[in-house]
Amino acid sequence: MNDIIQQIIFTGRVLHELKLVSSHGGNLSIKDGEYLYITKTGRMAGFLTEEDIIKLPIHQETKQDKEASIELIVHRQIYKDNPSINAVVHAHPITATALGYFLREFIPMDIEGELFIKKVPILEVEKPSASLELAIGLSKLFQEGYKICIVKNHGSFSTGKTINEALKYTSTLENSAEIFYKWMTLKKMQS
């Protein structure tokens, strides 16, 4: 098993253990030159095996594309438009996703959030999953320098030079969202 596959398997397990994805939710990819390794559709992130990951070209469609996550279009667009990005993590962090219904952007109030993710845009698109509109919208935000984005009614997409970096942004987002939510709740109780 190569190192890229091991990194994806490890990251999927961490996402599952931190409850950042449902049993069959989320997807992960790592760029390798002109190719990407991506989780296959409908796989359990916390229990990935080598057979759950497929290697596909970035710049062309293949017959094997249908085996990949339905978000393949998004991962490809991000890699095509952002050469410095080497990994993409898509998750469904509960608190951060919920905040996406009420905010236009999320600015963390905790030190770790301020340090690592600073400001998180919330992207609202007509089709928030597996669409060209989503792919282009996210890719543009990552070109503007954002590391993570919340997609309204869907979840988060994060990027990094490594998959560990993208995982860090995902975990930080949810932690910061939980702090913000609890702060708002306690503040309301004091009123």
Side-chain angles (χ1 to χ4, degrees):
M1 183 181 322
N2 74 32
D3 185 51
I4 291 173
I5 291 174
Q6 288 178 340
Q7 290 176 53
I8 291 173
I9 290 171
F10 174 79
T11 303
R13 188 168 49 247
V14 173
L15 286 173
H16 172 76
E17 289 175 3
L18 294 178
K19 298 184 179 175
L20 296 171
V21 292
S22 60
S23 65
H24 290 74
N27 42 76
L28 311 160
S29 72
I30 295 178
K31 182 173 73 173
D32 184 28
E34 296 298 307
Y35 291 87
L36 66 105
Y37 287 82
I38 188 167
T39 49
K40 290 182 179 178
T41 189
R43 297 311 200 260
M44 296 178 72
F47 304 94
L48 294 171
T49 66
E50 190 170 3
E51 291 74 34
D52 296 322
I53 300 160
I54 188 167
K55 182 180 180 183
L56 296 168
I58 293 173
H59 298 281
Q60 71 182 59
E61 295 180 7
T62 70
K63 290 179 182 179
Q64 288 75 37
D65 286 3
K66 64 181 184 275
E67 294 179 53
S69 164
I70 63 168
E71 300 296 351
L72 174 62
I73 186 173
V74 174
H75 292 251
R76 275 188 171 142
Q77 191 72 46
I78 290 169
Y79 292 133
K80 286 177 190 176
D81 295 343
N82 300 275
S84 65
I85 291 174
N86 294 316
V88 176
V89 170
H90 167 50
H92 303 135
I94 295 168
T95 307
T97 302
L99 290 177
Y101 288 97
F102 300 97
L103 305 174
R104 293 186 146 289
E105 67 181 8
F106 172 61
I107 300 174
M109 59 190 304
D110 62 296
I111 296 298
E112 186 176 75
E114 288 177 6
L115 178 65
F116 294 128
I117 58 177
K118 295 174 183 42
K119 182 166 62 171
V120 182
I122 297 170
L123 179 64
E124 185 172 357
V125 292
E126 191 172 317
K127 188 176 178 204
S129 179
S131 70
L132 183 59
E133 178 189 22
L134 174 62
I136 291 170
L138 284 170
S139 186
K140 183 179 177 188
L141 288 169
F142 294 133
Q143 286 174 336
E144 293 173 11
Y146 293 103
K147 302 294 185 193
I148 189 163
C149 178
I150 298 169
V151 177
K152 186 176 180 179
N153 198 32
H154 191 177
S156 66
F157 283 83
S158 64
T159 63
K161 293 191 183 307
T162 66
I163 198 165
N164 190 52
E165 181 183 359
L167 172 63
K168 174 176 73 175
Y169 298 140
T170 302
S171 175
T172 300
L173 171 64
E174 181 64 359
N175 189 63
S176 295
E178 288 184 23
I179 291 168
F180 178 79
Y181 173 75
K182 288 177 181 176
W183 175 79
M184 290 292 290
T185 303
L186 293 170
K187 182 179 174 190
K188 190 173 182 178
M189 287 172 58
Q190 285 185 331
S191 300

